[in-house]
Amino acid sequence: MNKGMVQIALVGLTEVIARSIGLTADAVAANRLGGTRPDAAGDTASADSADGTATDHSPSLFVGAQAAEVRLQSRDDSTVFPTWFWGATALSVRNDGSSYGEARVQTVLGADPEWLPLAPGETKTVRRWWGAVPVRVTNNADSPLTAWTR
């Protein structure tokens, strides 16, 4: 491989990583269940913490893959979670309903999806190395689901 091809490959990889990090920061802000979400006018948001003091939530370039629980109430509800760049991300889904549930897990880059069938009350966890590519979790059944990453 010549020097020009290596440079092109590195530039492409850098762009993919930069876009992943940007999507990851947006996903973390969007996924806080019961938390705050920055509005369109600004980059930060604040909320009152348990002791009554204001807490700032600012998007960061160094975002981890740990995301708060997200409720997927009905069929076709979906959310996007960040993933770790190095190592595996643990994605968990719980069926909160009294009927069959199913989650569809797929990277935002369009890799083959994975389906997680869930009995009522069941929780399943998958550990995968997605390389900082965010993953979308979609409720594929009529039972409410809760999903989170660690």
Side-chain angles (χ1 to χ4, degrees):
M1 196 182 254
N2 65 26
K3 184 178 176 182
M5 293 297 289
V6 170
Q7 286 177 333
I8 290 171
L10 287 175
V11 167
L13 179 61
T14 303
E15 287 179 12
V16 167
I17 291 170
R19 287 184 184 155
S20 274
I21 290 171
L23 286 172
T24 302
D26 291 341
V28 168
N31 282 335
R32 288 193 178 99
L33 186 64
T36 59
R37 184 175 179 179
D39 60 12
D43 290 351
T44 61
S46 63
D48 292 333
S49 64
D51 62 358
T53 60
T55 308
D56 286 333
H57 299 282
S58 303
S60 169
L61 195 59
F62 300 103
V63 175
Q66 185 169 349
E69 292 183 352
V70 176
R71 179 79 170 211
L72 304 173
Q73 188 63 36
S74 56
R75 181 183 294 270
D76 295 329
D77 285 355
S78 69
T79 189
V80 176
F81 286 111
T83 64
W84 295 110
F85 184 75
W86 299 108
T89 301
L91 170 74
S92 299
V93 181
R94 179 180 63 238
N95 182 348
D96 296 325
S98 58
S99 61
Y100 171 81
E102 183 179 73
R104 177 182 168 187
V105 179
Q106 185 176 23
T107 67
V108 297
L109 296 180
D112 289 339
E114 180 175 350
W115 286 269
L116 300 176
L118 298 154
E122 183 180 16
T123 300
K124 285 192 178 175
T125 300
V126 294
R127 286 175 178 78
R128 304 280 182 272
W129 182 73
W130 284 293
V133 175
V135 293
R136 179 178 312 280
V137 179
T138 304
N139 186 342
N140 248 21
D142 293 320
S143 189
L145 306 176
T146 300
W148 64 93
T149 57
R150 301 285 184 257

